Amino acid sequence: MTKENKQKKTSILFVCLGNICRSPMAEAIMQKLVNEAGQQAHYHIDSAGLISYHEGEGADPRMKSHAFRHGYRLTHISRPVRPSDFDDFDLIIGMDDSNYDKLRRLAPTLEAEAKVRHMTDFCTLHVIDHVPDPYYGGAQGFENVIEILEDACAGLFNSLQLSPQSQY
């Protein structure tokens, strides 16, 4: 194994519309799983949005509050998806069909397009086809998103532990 292969990190980008609710929550959950497993040296986790409206802002205060109650700190600052993300990340994970479709359209190559996945592809407990946007909903919407993302991130982390970098 070459030195380059030995030190290659699996890089994951979580994406939602504005990068203030779902994707920073997924980033925090995944980072906590990675940290708890002592795998920080093997992963690079980030999040981004498909619009730049919230660029430079922190996570939605309601999501921060719900996250805190579940033991997560959301410190991410919103940023839009960049063309370079398709080169820099191994997996680019959209929260819903709209995110997934737009990411595939933005992908500059077929290889880059193959990196795009649905968040709920990794759920093991929930039978659901998207992570709903809680922005215009009430408190239960934020709780529901956290529950779905905990399931999906655990499934993603477990699948990567079983077959790192072979099949996303």
Side-chain angles (χ1 to χ4, degrees):
M1 179 179 274
T2 68
K3 184 176 180 181
E4 181 181 310
N5 289 340
K6 190 182 267 188
Q7 294 186 8
K8 171 75 170 109
K9 289 185 174 191
T10 299
S11 54
I12 305 165
L13 181 67
F14 296 103
V15 179
C16 67
L17 185 61
N19 193 215
I20 60 168
C21 293
R22 296 171 291 173
S23 57
M25 189 69 236
E27 177 187 354
I29 292 168
M30 191 68 175
Q31 192 63 60
K32 185 174 182 180
L33 290 169
V34 165
N35 293 350
E36 288 175 348
Q39 298 290 312
Q40 302 91 316
H42 303 287
Y43 291 92
H44 170 67
I45 314 296
D46 197 1
S47 65
L50 288 165
I51 60 172
S52 59
Y53 182 78
H54 297 287
E55 185 173 5
E57 295 178 18
D60 182 287
R62 297 165 297 170
M63 183 55 89
K64 279 184 167 181
S65 176
H66 286 272
F68 184 76
R69 281 183 250 163
H70 287 267
Y72 303 103
R73 282 193 61 225
L74 301 186
T75 58
H76 179 82
I77 300 301
S78 177
R79 72 166 182 89
V81 170
R82 301 181 286 251
S84 61
D85 290 334
F86 289 94
D87 293 324
D88 297 341
F89 289 90
D90 300 308
L91 282 169
I92 301 175
I93 302 176
M95 297 294 139
D96 59 35
D97 287 340
S98 177
N99 304 154
Y100 175 81
D101 292 342
K102 185 162 186 185
L103 286 165
R104 289 186 53 168
R105 285 192 305 275
L106 291 172
T109 65
L110 290 175
E111 182 181 82
E113 186 178 335
K115 296 177 179 186
V116 178
R117 299 285 303 270
H118 285 94
M119 185 78 240
T120 53
D121 287 351
F122 302 101
C123 284
T124 60
L125 303 174
H126 293 82
V127 179
I128 188 167
D129 63 357
H130 70 285
V131 180
D133 190 343
Y135 189 80
Y136 294 107
Q140 187 53 46
F142 290 93
E143 290 295 318
N144 185 43
V145 164
I146 293 171
E147 186 177 304
I148 293 166
L149 291 175
E150 285 178 331
D151 177 22
C153 286
L156 171 58
F157 185 68
N158 288 335
S159 72
L160 291 170
Q161 294 302 295
L162 294 174
S163 60
Q165 303 219 345
S166 62
Q167 290 185 332
Y168 298 121

